[in-house]
Amino acid sequence: MKTLFLEPGILAIHTQVLDTTMHQHALIQVTLPDRQSTLSVAEHPPIHNVISLLEANIPHQLTMQQGWVILIEPSTQLGAQANKLLADNHIVTWPLDAQDNHSDNLTDLLARVKLTYTTSTELHDAHLDPRIAALLKQLNQCFAQDCLKPEHWLAKDIAQSLGLSESRFLHIFKDNMQLPWRPYLLWRRLICAIQSLSRGETATQAAHIAGFSDSAHLSRTFKKQFGITLRSALAGVKKPTS
């Protein structure tokens, strides 16, 4: 069974014994438990054993014995579908049918929260400013090959390459992506680290590749973002065989 999906605009992990602290991030979250779970959302009573779709930037805490956590960038077509489903709500839930969540088909998993997934990056980015779409295409090269070093992603350098002032680039990026450049870049660096670990690199190697000073820096940053250590998040992810 596949336990990790890393695609442009989406990260899906089948995890075990998840127990996060209260945290929030700039991504839309889908939770598909296989077994018992409790999701506590700020200003809401805890909810148990349900499939859920959670708005971005909402403080929450998740305890789950086993299941899928899927994170979606709000700017993608999938993110637009999710925001439409959420309407003015922080969270939407569906009854849990545990036998349905053992799938490792991302399209099927997302269909359970009424989302239609396509692997076409052209369709993902069709609504974006062409300069931002071109930048994402360059960043997305990381999904097919080694990650590009973060020092290549200074805002002033990117703005210059796009023929923009730094302030204009930052404005256009936030307007298109629904989050500022620096938090987005941090998210992409964490993806690079996850990708490196899933390929069998050590934590120290993954930290270096993603531009963190060491594995402790990577671990602290991941926990601050997602309320759990990177090791715990990836506990259920199968390692590559040599």
Side-chain angles (χ1 to χ4, degrees):
M1 175 177 170
K2 189 170 182 178
T3 53
L4 175 67
F5 291 92
L6 277 168
E7 306 284 347
I10 188 167
L11 164 65
I13 297 180
H14 189 265
T15 187
Q16 297 179 350
V17 196
L18 193 67
D19 187 11
T20 76
T21 58
M22 185 65 75
H23 65 286
Q24 67 184 77
H25 46 67
L27 304 157
I28 297 165
Q29 178 169 314
V30 174
T31 305
L32 295 156
D34 289 348
R35 301 176 184 174
Q36 292 186 348
S37 71
T38 299
L39 178 62
S40 299
V41 178
E43 301 179 0
H44 294 268
I47 50 177
H48 305 283
N49 307 329
V50 295
I51 294 172
S52 62
L53 175 66
L54 181 66
E55 186 182 18
N57 296 308
I58 300 299
H60 63 282
Q61 182 175 7
L62 175 64
T63 301
M64 182 167 68
Q65 287 189 1
Q66 181 173 292
W68 286 96
V69 174
I70 304 175
L71 302 174
I72 302 168
E73 293 179 17
S75 64
T76 61
Q77 291 290 348
L78 204 57
Q81 291 180 46
N83 279 323
K84 187 175 181 179
L85 278 171
L86 285 161
D88 295 326
N89 301 299
H90 290 330
I91 185 168
V92 176
T93 64
W94 293 264
L96 175 63
D97 186 354
Q99 63 179 357
D100 286 340
N101 294 330
H102 294 290
S103 172
D104 62 354
N105 183 299
L106 190 55
T107 299
D108 290 346
L109 291 168
L110 289 167
R112 286 165 200 159
V113 290
K114 315 300 182 188
L115 297 178
T116 303
Y117 177 63
T118 173
T119 57
S120 170
T121 53
E122 288 76 14
L123 184 58
H124 290 169
D125 301 339
H127 60 299
L128 299 177
D129 181 293
R131 294 164 292 193
I132 301 302
L135 172 61
L136 292 183
K137 186 175 182 180
Q138 195 174 1
L139 280 168
N140 288 342
Q141 292 176 17
C142 292
F143 290 104
Q145 57 193 48
D146 292 339
C147 289
L148 303 175
K149 289 291 184 183
E151 55 261 35
H152 296 298
W153 303 113
L154 294 176
K156 64 181 179 61
D157 294 337
I158 295 171
Q160 185 176 28
S161 71
L162 297 176
L164 298 167
S165 68
E166 183 175 348
S167 61
R168 183 60 179 158
F169 161 67
L170 293 173
H171 174 79
I172 293 175
F173 187 88
K174 184 177 180 181
D175 188 53
N176 275 254
M177 300 299 292
Q178 302 177 37
L179 72 165
W181 168 247
R182 289 188 66 181
Y184 183 78
L185 184 59
L186 178 59
W187 157 239
R188 294 301 297 251
R189 290 169 62 196
L190 290 171
I191 286 180
C192 281
I194 292 170
Q195 184 165 260
S196 299
L197 288 167
S198 70
R199 288 174 176 169
E201 306 278 5
T202 66
T204 299
Q205 290 169 325
H208 174 70
I209 290 168
F212 296 94
S213 57
D214 52 34
S215 60
H217 183 203
L218 168 60
S219 183
R220 286 195 306 273
T221 305
F222 191 92
K223 186 168 184 178
K224 183 177 180 181
Q225 288 288 309
F226 300 112
I228 192 173
T229 65
L230 182 55
R231 175 178 295 182
S232 297
L234 296 179
V237 174
K238 292 181 178 177
K239 301 293 188 297
T241 55
S242 56

